[in-house]
Amino acid sequence: MTELELLVDFHKDHYRQGPGSDDITKTIFKIIPDLNKRNFNVADIGCGTGAQTLCLSECTKGQIHAVDFSTQFLETLDTRAGKVGAANQIKTIEASMDDLPFEKNQFDLIWSEGAIYNMGFEKGLQYWKQFLKPNGYIAVSEISWITKDRPTEIDDFWKSNYPEIGTVSEKIAVIEKSGYSSIAHYVLPPDSWLKNYYSKIESSFDSFLQKHSNSESAQTLVSMEKEQISLYKKYKEFYSYGFYLIKKTA
Ligand code: SAH
C-alpha cells in the first residue's frame, strides 16, 4: 500500500475526516442570504465520506456535486446517500480539487470543510471563483491562528506543516484580495476537534494497527496522528479551523 492508500484506509470508515460539526454546518448554511433560490446548485469540494454533504442535503433541495479524489470515500458517500434517500440529490464526482470538471458560473454555493489546504487557501479561492455564479458564495474551513502570538513549539509545527496558516484577519485579507467579501466567520470550538473527530480516530488506532500487522508505515501514521492530537490538546487556545462564509464580488 502507498502512503496515500494507507491514509484512505485509516479514514474511510469514519463519519468525518476532519474537525467539524453537523450543527455548525447547518447553522452556517442558514445564514447564507437569499437562500430561497430555485435550482440551488452546490459543489462540496474535498467531501470525504460526506459528513457535511449529508447535512447540506437536509438544508436544500438543490443538486449537490460532491468532489473528492478518493474513490473509496466517494463509494461510502454513495452508500450513505442511498440510505437517507438522497441518492438522486448527491452526485459524487472523482476529480482533483485543482482540476475540476465544471462549467464556469455553474454554482450558487461552493462548500469545503477541512480540505482546501490540500491546494492552498489562496490558490483554491482564486481557482474556484470561476465556477461560482456572480454573487455566489463559498463556505470554507481553514486552519487559522486565533491569537496574535503563540508558543514557539506550535508555531514551528504549523509553519513547517502548513506555512500558509495565518490569523483570522490575515485569512480575511486573502479573501478580500481574491475577489470576495467576507459575510461571516466562525471559529470551530474544541468539541468539533476532540469529541467529533479525534476521539473517534483514537478509538480505531489498535484495530488499524492489527489490520496492518503492525507494519512500520501503519505505526508511523498512527504516531503522526497521536502527535497532532497531543499538540492540539496542549495548544487548542491558539489555533482552530476558521469557517469563512464569503461572497464573490469580482
Ligand atoms: N470534508 C470532509 C473531508 C475532509 S479531509 C470532512 O470534513 O469530513 C480532506 C479531504 O480532501 C479528503 O477526503 C481527501 O481525500 C480530499 N482531498 C485531498 N486532496 C485532494 C485533491 N487534490 N482533490 C480532491 N480531493 C482531495
Side-chain angles (χ1 to χ4, degrees):
M1 263 194 190
T2 64
E3 243 175 68
L4 183 61
E5 285 166 345
L6 200 65
L7 196 66
V8 168
D9 190 62
F10 177 70
H11 284 284
K12 73 179 167 35
D13 297 324
H14 289 287
Y15 178 71
R16 59 175 64 256
Q17 286 71 46
S21 137
D22 288 359
D23 285 346
I24 293 170
T25 297
K26 290 177 187 170
T27 303
I28 290 177
F29 186 89
K30 282 187 197 129
I31 59 174
I32 302 172
D34 328 313
L35 267 185
N36 50 355
K37 284 179 196 143
R38 296 173 65 181
N39 303 322
F40 203 66
N41 207 7
V42 186
D44 178 10
I45 302 181
C47 60
T49 59
Q52 70 292 309
T53 327
L54 295 170
C55 288
L56 293 172
S57 75
E58 291 176 29
C59 296
T60 173
K61 292 197 166 39
Q63 182 74 46
I64 304 173
H65 299 72
V67 178
D68 206 282
F69 70 0
S70 162
T71 323
Q72 282 174 290
F73 288 168
L74 295 175
E75 281 170 1
T76 304
L77 173 52
D78 281 332
T79 307
R80 290 167 81 184
K83 281 190 186 148
V84 298
N88 289 334
Q89 191 190 5
I90 296 174
K91 182 177 180 213
T92 53
I93 296 160
E94 189 178 327
S96 186
M97 62 174 72
D98 56 4
D99 188 17
L100 294 169
F102 298 133
E103 313 272 315
K104 288 200 186 336
N105 303 330
Q106 188 174 337
F107 296 107
D108 300 284
L109 174 66
I110 293 179
W111 204 272
S112 182
E113 292 196 26
I116 197 171
Y117 70 89
N118 287 293
M119 69 179 291
F121 188 64
E122 182 165 0
K123 209 170 142 211
L125 292 185
Q126 288 179 1
Y127 173 62
W128 296 350
K129 195 168 61 171
Q130 63 190 297
F131 304 109
L132 278 181
K133 292 179 187 167
N135 298 319
Y137 294 91
I138 297 186
V140 59
S141 70
E142 161 79 342
I143 280 284
S144 306
W145 296 123
I146 52 180
T147 58
K148 185 169 160 285
D149 301 304
R150 61 211 70 97
T152 317
E153 185 186 17
I154 194 62
D155 198 65
D156 288 348
F157 173 82
W158 277 109
K159 282 193 176 138
S160 64
N161 283 285
Y162 186 55
E164 213 182 317
I165 189 169
T167 59
V168 171
S169 50
E170 284 165 349
K171 291 292 164 188
I172 291 174
V174 171
I175 285 164
E176 290 173 346
K177 189 174 102 183
S178 306
Y180 301 88
S181 59
S182 169
I183 304 294
H185 64 269
Y186 183 81
V187 173
L188 289 190
D191 261 7
S192 294
W193 293 73
L194 297 171
K195 180 163 162 271
N196 300 352
Y197 179 54
Y198 281 156
S199 74
K200 309 282 195 274
I201 63 170
E202 269 176 324
S203 65
S204 71
F205 287 155
D206 288 347
S207 56
F208 175 75
L209 288 171
Q210 258 174 25
K211 179 179 173 190
H212 292 279
S213 316
N214 265 311
S215 73
E216 208 181 313
S217 43
Q219 287 188 44
T220 306
L221 191 151
V222 167
S223 44
M224 279 165 61
E225 298 287 347
K226 282 185 175 167
E227 186 199 4
Q228 289 213 22
I229 294 172
S230 79
L231 282 173
Y232 179 74
K233 286 180 176 164
K234 192 168 170 192
Y235 293 118
K236 59 182 176 304
E237 71 263 43
F238 299 102
Y239 66 99
S240 186
Y241 270 95
F243 216 132
Y244 301 91
L245 175 63
I246 68 180
K247 183 175 184 177
K248 178 174 171 176
T249 52

